[in-house]
């Protein structure tokens, strides 16, 4: 081999080494969240759980039991404090109507939340397509995504929430009298609902009953005065959207008596949890929770004094 040819081979080898990373050359960590939506079918309906993100919450201080008991339950489940807690919303396509249940936090909390609109788009829908928005209760992590800079995020939607909640949270008098730890809930509720109220697009739910074919509102008061759950039914399949009947699955499903500091009326919140958990377990209804680990879907099975949580299997539309 000539010297010139050797040099050419050597140059080619270096060029290859420079441009094709070898196995040891590390790719940067992506550090972006995995896609924040899931998809299941329920009879003729399509359900799209949407993630609003997560928040780290000091559940040992918020849950109304000894901090040590919460710490132990979380540890047993390989979870740490503060607990990274999901916030989920659920989009229901009935074939005739597109209904969103809850809207996440919008801009009210830090950068780990407020991702609902982006995930709605990632799931193949635009906010303009949403016909109805049903709110489980008017806490900021459920209504915060309704408006952005005072404008409606869902310009073509009618917004529904129980009258007991809208009367309570939209009242300046109640805001003035509220305990210090609950005062901060009022302004986000007022700001988020205002553009819909002004446009004549807010319609309070007066009583239990069907809102559109296949979706029924049912009062489940306690967490807030008008906390509402929604039962979705298609061709004999049932999905119960339970909102904030539970915040920490690893504690409150085993032991539904444990309440949380955010409850307006802790005794009533426990009674509602028990009533709807009993019904869902008896009927074998699929359950969807706003703060159960995303996608927040599973079944409740009676066990001892409480229940056991069985997350859904992963499925693809077919
Ligand atoms: Zn919540």
């Amino acid at each position: 081999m000539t010297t010139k040819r050797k040099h050419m081979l050597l140059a080619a080898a270096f060029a290859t080494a420079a441009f094709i990373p070898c196995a040891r050359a590390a790719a940067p960590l992506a550090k972006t969240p995995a896609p924040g939506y899931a998809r299941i079918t329920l009879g003729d309906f399509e359900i799209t759980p949407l993630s609003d993100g997560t928040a780290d919450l000091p559940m040992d201080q918020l849950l109304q039991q000894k901090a040590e008991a919460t710490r132990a339950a979380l540890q047993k489940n390989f979870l740490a404090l503060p607990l990274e807690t999901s916030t989920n919303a659920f989009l229901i396509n009935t074939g005739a109507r597109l209904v969103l249940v809850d809207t996440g936090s919008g801009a009210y909390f830090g950068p780990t939340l407020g991702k609902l609109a982006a995930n709605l788009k990632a799931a193949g829908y635009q906010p303009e397509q949403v016909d109805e928005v049903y709110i489980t209760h008017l806490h900021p992590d459920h209504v915060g995504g309704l408006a952005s800079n005072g404008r409606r995020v869902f310009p073509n939607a009618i917004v529904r929430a129980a009258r007991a909640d809208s009367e309570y949270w939209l009242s300046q008098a109640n805001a003035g009298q509220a305990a210090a730890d609950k005062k901060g809930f009022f302004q986000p509720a007022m700001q988020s609902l205002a553009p819909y109220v002004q446009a004549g697009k807010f319609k309070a739910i007066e009583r239990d009953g069907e809102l559109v074919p296949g979706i029924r509102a049912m009062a489940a008061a306690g967490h807030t005065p008008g906390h509402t759950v929604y039962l979705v039914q298609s061709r004999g399949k049932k999905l119960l959207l339970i909102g904030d009947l539970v915040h920490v699955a690893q504690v409150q499903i085993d032991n539904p008596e444990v309440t949380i500091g955010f409850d307006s009326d802790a005794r009533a919140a426990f009674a509602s949890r028990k009533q709807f958990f009993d019904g869902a377990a008896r009927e074998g209804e699929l359950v969807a929770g706003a703060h159960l680990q995303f996608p927040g879907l599973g079944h409740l099975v009676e066990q001892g004094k409480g229940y056991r949580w069985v997350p859904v299997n992963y499925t693809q539309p077919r």
Side-chain angles (χ1 to χ4, degrees), residues 137 141-142 223 244 247 291:
H137 62 296
D141 52 322
H142 301 259
H223 181 56
D244 280 15
H247 291 82
H291 298 297

